[in-house]
Amino acid sequence: MTSRASLRARICAGRLAHIMAAHSPLSAILAEEAGFDGIWASGFELSALYGLPDASLVSMTRHLDMVRSMAEQSSLPIIADIDTGFGNAINVIYAIEQYERAGAAAVVIEDKAFPKVTSLLADGRQELIRTEEFAGKIRAAVATRADPDFLVIARTEALIAGLGEAEALKRARVYEEAGADMILIHSKQKVPDEVESFVRAWHGKVPIVIVPTSYPEMNESRIRALGKIAMVIYGNHAIRAAVTAMKDVFARIRADGGIHSIDPEIVPVEEIFRLQKMDAVKANENRFLW
Ligand code: SPV
Ligand code: MG
């Protein structure tokens, strides 16, 4: 079974898919080793990796290149965060062709206007496009995919934009009608109430995706108890873990005046060799370097 087919089968069987953000092939490898079911090719993480705000500044080709590089190193399905789809329905058509070819298993397209601004910012400028226009983008994505197992996930930012639950539900219904395989509902409230209320009120046929970054108390047992949610995305925990670890280690080296005390506390270089598959190089040296 392809990673796309296995992701779709998991979703259809109602088994919650646990998806970890990644910003590099190395973080994708670590997410796979940790037992996640898929990789979130996060626009936020990749923007941060380049030291840029998540505001449509990282180009499609840069993001695509990262998806391709992750797909080379991980067998997990990749859910590509394609933001607004890089423009209108015509841009979406091109994006779907490219992302499918690059090895993504799914795309998430959001109903914000291009250029977008990151969702979790306290006073972010959140502008949505017309419901019908976004439905056209979803129809374009569905009509373009070559593999029927490639998932098209419609993300509504209605709650993020402060438009309320009725508008979020109305948009989600239209996006389902347009052919979306799943609906991602995003919220920046510090508690799960808003998302829980949306999920209870959702009576569509397609399942829901959530990104509980701002309401971390919504753990997996609460998600299962609520039902209807088929995918949970841990949206920025790879880059935040990396920043936490680098800050700590860099500060310790400066404070200690050297690497002597930190050395036993960080992974040895042999662990990096393992992640790089250096053993294959050694084996091939023995076979072919005569
Ligand atoms: C991302 O990780 O790029 C997302 C999730 O889209 S969020 O940043 O929370 O909007
Ligand atoms: Mg994003």
Side-chain angles (χ1 to χ4, degrees), residues 214-270:
S214 73
Y215 49 98
E217 68 190 85
M218 183 85 152
N219 61 17
E220 290 166 14
S221 58
R222 273 183 78 161
I223 293 171
R224 281 203 194 82
L226 194 56
K228 301 181 200 173
I229 298 170
M231 187 184 285
V232 55
I233 296 175
Y234 299 116
N236 50 36
H237 297 76
I239 198 84
R240 287 166 66 194
V243 168
T244 306
M246 282 192 269
K247 276 189 169 180
D248 285 356
V249 171
F250 296 173
R252 278 281 298 282
I253 294 169
R254 293 294 293 148
D256 297 346
I259 54 177
H260 50 281
S261 73
I262 199 74
D263 195 64
E265 294 177 35
I266 58 180
V267 296
V269 73
E270 288 74 19

Side-chain angles (χ1 to χ4, degrees), residues 28-130:
I29 292 169
L30 294 174
E32 182 161 5
E33 290 191 352
F36 285 96
D37 304 310
I39 302 296
W40 170 236
S42 158
F44 178 84
E45 291 222 352
L46 192 61
S47 301
L49 186 74
Y50 284 112
L52 291 171
D54 182 17
S56 297
L57 298 175
V58 172
S59 69
M60 182 181 85
T61 43
R62 252 182 176 180
H63 186 256
L64 251 179
D65 193 44
M66 184 55 76
V67 167
R68 221 174 271 125
S69 305
M70 288 179 183
E72 273 175 33
Q73 295 300 336
S74 170
S75 60
L76 288 182
I78 296 172
I79 294 101
D81 173 14
I82 66 166
D83 291 349
T84 63
F86 310 100
N88 66 18
I90 305 305
N91 301 74
V92 168
I93 290 170
Y94 184 62
I96 297 297
E97 288 167 356
Q98 296 295 313
Y99 278 85
E100 196 173 345
R101 223 171 272 156
V107 288
V108 172
I109 317 176
E110 66 198 42
D111 57 4
K112 286 210 285 236
F114 178 89
K116 56 76 69 71
V117 179
T118 197
S119 301
L120 299 181
L121 197 67
D123 56 351
R125 176 191 55 79
Q126 302 298 346
E127 197 186 316
L128 269 51
I129 63 170
R130 286 177 301 107

Side-chain angles (χ1 to χ4, degrees), residues 2-14:
T2 64
S3 67
R4 275 182 203 143
S6 67
L7 181 65
R8 188 182 273 281
R10 187 181 185 95
I11 303 297
C12 291

